[in-house]
Amino acid sequence: MSDSIRQDNGGAAAADRAGSLAGLRVIDLTQMLAGPFCTQILADHGADVIKVETMAGDGTRVTGPFLSEDQARDYGGYFQSINRNKRSIVIDLKREEGRDVLRRLIDGADIVIENFRAGVMERLGLSYETLRQTNPRLIYGAVRGFGDPRSGVSPYADWPAYDVVSQAMGGMMGITGPDAQTPTKVGPGVGDTVPALMLCVGVLAAVHHMHRTGRGQFVDVAMTDAVLALCERIVYQYSYTGQAPQAQGNRHPLLCPFGLFRARDGHVSIACATDAFWEALAGFIGRPDMARDPAFATNAARVQRQQQVIDAVEAFTSVRTKEEIAAVLGGRVPFGPVYTAAEIFQDEHYARRQMLVEVEQPGACAAVQIVGVPIKLSESPGAVRRRAPLLGEHTGEVLRAAGYDEDGVARLRAAGVVR
């Protein structure tokens, strides 16, 4: 093997370690959860994400929890969890000179992502149409409560939105909860994180298109649209039957048994989506007769007699601990205990999958743990490479890389344009 081949392979290996998206530069104008969650996924997989913050910083910097020993409180767990692998620069976008700095950064970028209300970037003179004039390859991603007018003007286009709003209007709350009279918010902020995931997919699709054609484009995701897409079942149910689906607690409207069941020390999930799984479960719980009885042998029959099926399963689960149930059902039928965070930390699965990752916490001696990278790539894996940034931690290096000399950086700092 020649030396040149060895060098080439070494360079390729180094690029792979940097992640699949190494070489992409993202200007991140987002805050709170939806936007930062999207840009973090890109950063996890190697994109250089430059987080542009106001003088006060992203509002989640002041949101806890904080470690008791952390007196600086530069940021807490919220910010740490969704801003790792990014660099922070502070620019005052209320000033024309600050907007000039941002334009310069965007001209050298592949992607810009923002989650302002519709019209904010236009008022700043930073619309997609303006930015593409000097960077025609630019991919511009936006995530808003009700989308961008470019894709269709929503009657709610000017409404602000958060997770609970998109969960409510996207149909999720209406099918979640113990009954139709008690709509319930899903625990995590899926009204933000699901739109973030969809924006990430859209941006990467646009990157592929740009590599083929040399043209960038606008990528628009409405939080409410994304939640509705996640709840796709309610659309076809209503279209096919004319009946609006309602909350059914921990049951499934089309499958049985499929849901949560009481254990002696909590709850477990059991999901028999096929009659074969039901036959196996019926044997394990000591009711093989129910697998042979026509009243319970098929899924359609069981759905009609859900309560009887649930009672039979809980007669077995309710008198046993989660661990005891796992010893019988684990690996034999679709089953899982309902975990608390403490139980997740104790489960070897998450350690082996590197899903609990230690990072430095500024202001504290002890490391903290945040969730790891769930998308596993064999050749170019993503990784948690650095903690979340301090406010403006990388302003100088980002500006120098953009062509500003030391005097220029110092002048911008002295004028309060950057920090």
Side-chain angles (χ1 to χ4, degrees):
M1 182 182 294
S2 71
D3 289 340
S4 62
I5 293 176
R6 286 193 190 96
Q7 291 171 358
D8 287 345
N9 285 345
D16 289 344
R17 288 194 297 274
S20 297
L21 302 182
L24 284 179
R25 175 159 293 177
V26 180
I27 304 302
D28 178 5
L29 297 169
T30 69
Q31 56 183 332
M32 300 307 289
L33 179 54
F37 194 82
C38 172
T39 55
Q40 177 168 275
I41 296 169
L42 300 175
D44 284 350
H45 291 280
D48 177 18
V49 175
I50 299 171
K51 184 177 179 69
V52 179
E53 300 188 66
T54 66
M55 292 295 176
D58 187 324
T60 60
R61 284 184 177 273
V62 297
T63 304
F66 296 93
L67 292 178
S68 58
E69 65 178 291
D70 179 6
Q71 298 302 309
R73 297 203 165 190
D74 293 303
Y75 56 73
Y78 191 153
F79 187 87
Q80 173 82 278
S81 182
I82 57 171
N83 287 287
R84 64 183 180 223
N85 290 333
K86 303 177 186 179
R87 297 192 288 166
S88 171
I89 178 173
V90 173
I91 305 176
D92 186 354
L93 296 181
K94 296 178 181 178
R95 301 174 60 170
E96 182 60 35
E97 194 169 9
R99 295 191 289 274
D100 288 342
V101 172
L102 180 59
R103 289 189 194 97
R104 188 162 173 173
L105 294 180
I106 292 174
D107 280 347
D110 303 285
I111 300 163
V112 62
I113 296 180
E114 52 97 347
N115 62 345
F116 298 118
R117 287 200 220 179
V120 169
M121 290 290 279
E122 283 74 11
R123 289 193 292 274
L124 291 172
L126 298 167
S127 69
Y128 168 62
E129 289 74 17
T130 298
L131 297 173
R132 72 181 298 188
Q133 291 175 14
T134 52
N135 186 356
R137 295 169 63 87
L138 181 68
I139 294 156
Y140 186 120
V143 57
R144 320 189 198 288
F146 303 94
D148 188 272
R150 292 173 178 83
S151 306
V153 182
S154 167
Y156 317 114
D158 295 330
W159 290 18
Y162 288 99
D163 162 55
V164 291
V165 175
S166 54
Q167 283 199 37
M169 295 184 70
M172 181 172 288
M173 288 186 185
I175 56 171
T176 305
D179 52 54
Q181 287 71 48
T182 318
T184 302
K185 173 190 174 295
V186 174
V190 293
D192 281 310
T193 55
V194 168
L197 289 168
M198 293 195 178
L199 180 59
C200 194
V201 172
V203 164
L204 293 177
V207 168
H208 182 67
H209 180 267
M210 182 270 289
H211 284 159
R212 287 191 298 110
T213 67
R215 299 193 305 274
Q217 60 185 297
F218 192 94
V219 183
D220 169 31
V221 172
M223 292 162 64
T224 43
D225 294 356
V227 172
L228 177 59
L230 183 67
C231 299
E232 45 77 36
R233 190 177 72 213
I234 66 174
V235 173
Y236 72 71
Q237 284 179 291
Y238 184 74
S239 177
Y240 276 63
T241 70
Q243 300 294 314
Q246 297 180 337
Q248 295 188 335
N250 292 319
R251 305 180 182 186
H252 193 289
L254 305 175
L255 301 170
C256 181
F258 199 103
L260 298 188
F261 300 86
R262 290 179 294 120
R264 205 169 75 200
D265 59 348
H267 291 79
V268 297
S269 63
I270 298 172
C272 290
T274 68
D275 293 336
F277 276 133
W278 165 245
E279 183 178 3
L281 177 64
F284 291 133
I285 67 174
R287 292 299 307 273
D289 59 296
M290 294 184 74
R292 297 188 297 268
D293 186 340
F296 302 101
T298 67
N299 180 70
R302 292 191 298 276
V303 169
Q304 295 301 313
R305 299 170 180 82
Q306 281 208 32
Q307 192 57 53
Q308 291 170 266
V309 175
I310 290 169
D311 289 344
V313 175
E314 286 198 329
F316 174 83
T317 62
S318 63
V319 297
R320 292 170 172 81
T321 65
K322 292 186 285 187
E323 186 175 359
E324 290 169 341
I325 300 167
V328 177
L329 302 184
R332 297 175 175 88
V333 297
F335 158 87
V338 176
Y339 273 169
T340 64
E343 289 169 317
I344 288 172
F345 269 69
Q346 294 165 7
D347 193 308
E348 190 176 0
H349 165 87
Y350 296 103
R352 291 191 178 188
R353 299 281 297 176
Q354 298 180 314
M355 287 306 298
L356 302 172
V357 180
E358 283 194 350
V359 291
E360 173 197 5
Q361 176 60 45
C365 295
V368 293
Q369 286 176 287
I370 57 175
V371 72
V373 179
I375 302 169
K376 311 296 187 184
L377 300 178
S378 63
E379 295 297 319
S380 55
V384 179
R385 300 177 181 87
R386 65 168 90 186
R387 58 161 171 77
L390 298 171
L391 181 60
E393 182 174 355
H394 306 97
T395 296
E397 69 180 54
V398 169
L399 291 180
R400 287 189 291 273
Y404 290 90
D405 60 22
E406 292 294 342
D407 289 342
V409 174
R411 184 185 62 78
L412 290 171
R413 288 189 191 275
V417 175
V418 302
R419 173 179 162 186

